[in-house]
């Protein structure tokens, strides 16, 4: 591979006119090379205060310089988030520029505006490509693809032992469906444009999803129901409607979510037991190296739905690691929490670890919310309990402490929250030594909850 390499995504015919946003003009180049234009996509964000943000994307290896011209005024300030990337932009007039030495998913915010911002998705160079003649491959080439009305009406069904390849410049206006299949890979650099759902994976095993961008699906981006051995990586998604969760996991085992960017108007990551026709426990889930931005609802929400016709479902052995939470904004106190364990419907939670999580902003909400409850709107019974949970290396920088107090509360003496550890919780640069320092309120029916 060359010392430095840059690959731009081709643009499907017609998308230029329906999805362009002129707030920014963005170019990219290799060091000392010529500037190359990127296409600035319009993506809708934040259903409560709907705005058209911008998005660009490209692939690279080595080092590149990105330059964004702000077309509607003077640049007085510019911030690039996640702040953990420590990228300091240079401002000259109405231009903002910065260098990248590794792949990144970024928000460039001019004059403090987080809604009409610029999202920059800089991928690694794509090393695995296919064409329409490749055996065992379902191929979507450059251009706009519409589903056959006879094929589940709004999508394409995928067979077992298939690689689905979405070439750069491909645009799918429908969902992909994995139903009772195995050994499926869905990869590439394509775009899903306003589908009903993005990718539905149900009753399946050994499925991989990687590489795409989802522009405003009407509902969830990826749904994983009653599956085993599923991996989702390097996807980017924006949502702007009711019930438009990012990734939903139901009754599944061995699920890995890695390196995703989810900006949603409902929960970014939601994990449940039984719902609809999905049955069973949820075990061995890892969510890591990701960026979550909940314009509405929770960045992480676990446990509401389960099966009260039996003893209940068990959700166990979860790891959330190396995550940047850029926003949490929810005005309903019943549905708050950057990290929300809201256990109803006879669900039991055990053996969870949340570590190395950086929360940048809470417009309205709570940092932690742990409850065994009975939510009469969504549940048919209370949860069974929450036990053996660790929160380690969690940081949140605040101005004036805008969020509501977190809560830890069981349901009754038989449905308790117990054995929860908070280790190295850092609020505004200071390690919390008490629950008061961490702005956590302790409710009833709890046991062995510690902070150190």
């Amino acid at each position: 591979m060359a010392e430095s390499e840059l690959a731009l995504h081709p643009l499907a015919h017609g998308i230029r006119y329906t999805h362009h946003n002129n707030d920014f003009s963005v170019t990219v180049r290799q060091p000392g090379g010529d500037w190359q234009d990127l296409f600035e996509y319009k993506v809708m964000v934040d259903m409560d205060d709907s705005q058209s943000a911008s998005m660009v994307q490209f692939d690279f290896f080595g080092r590149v310089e990105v330059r964004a011209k702000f077309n509607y005024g003077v640049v007085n300030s510019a911030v690039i988030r996640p702040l953990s990337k420590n990228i300091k932009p240079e401002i000259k007039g109405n231009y903002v520029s910065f260098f990248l030495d590794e792949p990144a998913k970024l928000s460039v915010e001019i004059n403090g505006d987080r809604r009409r911002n610029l999202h920059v998705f800089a991928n690694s160079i794509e090393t695995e490509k296919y064409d329409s003649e490749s055996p065992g491959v379902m191929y979507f080439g450059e251009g706009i693809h519409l589903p056959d009305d006879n094929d589940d009406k709004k999508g394409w069904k995928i067979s077992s032992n298939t690689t689905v390849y979405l070439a750069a410049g491909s645009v799918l206006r429908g969902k992909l469906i994995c139903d009772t299949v195995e050994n499926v890979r869905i990869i590439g650099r394509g775009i899903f444009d306003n589908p009903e759902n993005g990718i539905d994976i149900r009753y399946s095993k050994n499925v991989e999803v990687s590489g795409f961008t989802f522009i405003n699906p009407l509902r969830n981006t990826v749904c994983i129901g009653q599956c085993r051995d599923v991996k989702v990586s390097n996807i980017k998604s924006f949502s702007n409607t009711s019930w438009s969760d990012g990734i939903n996991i139901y009754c599944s085992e061995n699920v890995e979510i890695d390196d995703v960017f989810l900006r949603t108007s409902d929960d970014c990551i939601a994990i449940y037991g039984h719902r609809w026709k999905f049955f069973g426990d949820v075990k061995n889930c890892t969510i890591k190296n990701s960026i979550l931005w909940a314009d509405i609802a929770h960045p992480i929400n676990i446990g509401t739905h389960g099966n009260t016709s039996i003893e209940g479902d068990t959700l166990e052995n979860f790891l959330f690691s190396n995550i940047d939470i850029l926003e949490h904004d929810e005005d309903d106190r019943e549905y708050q929490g950057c990290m929300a364990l809201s256990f109803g419907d006879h669900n039991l939670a055990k053996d969870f670890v949340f570590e190395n999580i950086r929360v940048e902003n809470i417009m309205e909400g709570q940092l932690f919310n742990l409850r065994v409850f009975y939510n009469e709107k969504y549940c048919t019974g209370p949860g069974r309990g929450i036990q053996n949970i660790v929160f380690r290396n969690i940081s949140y920088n605040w101005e004036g402490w805008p969020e509501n107090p977190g809560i830890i509360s069981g349901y009754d003496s038989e449905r308790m929250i117990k054995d929860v550890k908070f280790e190295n919780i850092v609020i505004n640069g200071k390690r919390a030594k008490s629950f008061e320092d961490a702005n956590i309120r302790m409710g009833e029916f709890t046991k062995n909850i510690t902070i150190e």
Side-chain angles (χ1 to χ4, degrees), residues 114-129:
R114 294 179 176 176
R115 288 184 171 86
R116 295 186 69 94
N117 61 318
L118 168 66
H119 303 83
V120 177
F121 299 143
N123 300 288
S124 60
I125 291 291
E126 190 179 13
T127 58
E128 187 176 1
K129 295 184 179 182

Side-chain angles (χ1 to χ4, degrees), residues 20-80:
H20 186 252
N21 192 338
N22 199 44
D23 287 354
F24 296 88
S25 298
V26 187
T27 54
V28 63
R29 68 177 179 180
Q30 296 169 289
D34 295 331
W35 290 106
Q36 299 187 55
D37 289 330
L38 299 178
F39 182 78
E40 302 85 10
Y41 289 87
K42 178 175 70 175
V43 293
M44 302 305 298
V45 300
D46 195 352
M47 183 180 66
D48 278 350
D49 183 20
S50 187
Q51 299 288 338
S52 57
S54 301
M55 179 271 289
V56 298
Q57 54 186 353
F58 59 91
D59 299 354
F60 83 105
F61 169 79
R63 183 174 174 84
V64 294
E65 183 178 6
V66 180
R67 182 178 67 180
K69 178 185 178 184
F70 182 53
N71 293 322
Y72 293 103
V74 176
V75 178
N76 297 311
S77 66
V79 174
I80 297 178

Side-chain angles (χ1 to χ4, degrees), residues 81-82 84-85 104-107 121 235 259-263 268 288-293 322-326:
R81 301 196 299 150
S84 63
K85 294 294 185 182
K105 299 170 176 64
L106 306 171
S107 170
F121 299 143
I235 67 166
D259 187 26
V260 302
F261 177 101
L262 303 172
R263 183 172 187 179
C268 296
K288 61 183 180 179
N289 308 322
S290 294
I291 300 168
L292 308 180
W293 186 331
N322 191 30
I323 294 172
D324 290 285
I325 294 176
L326 302 193

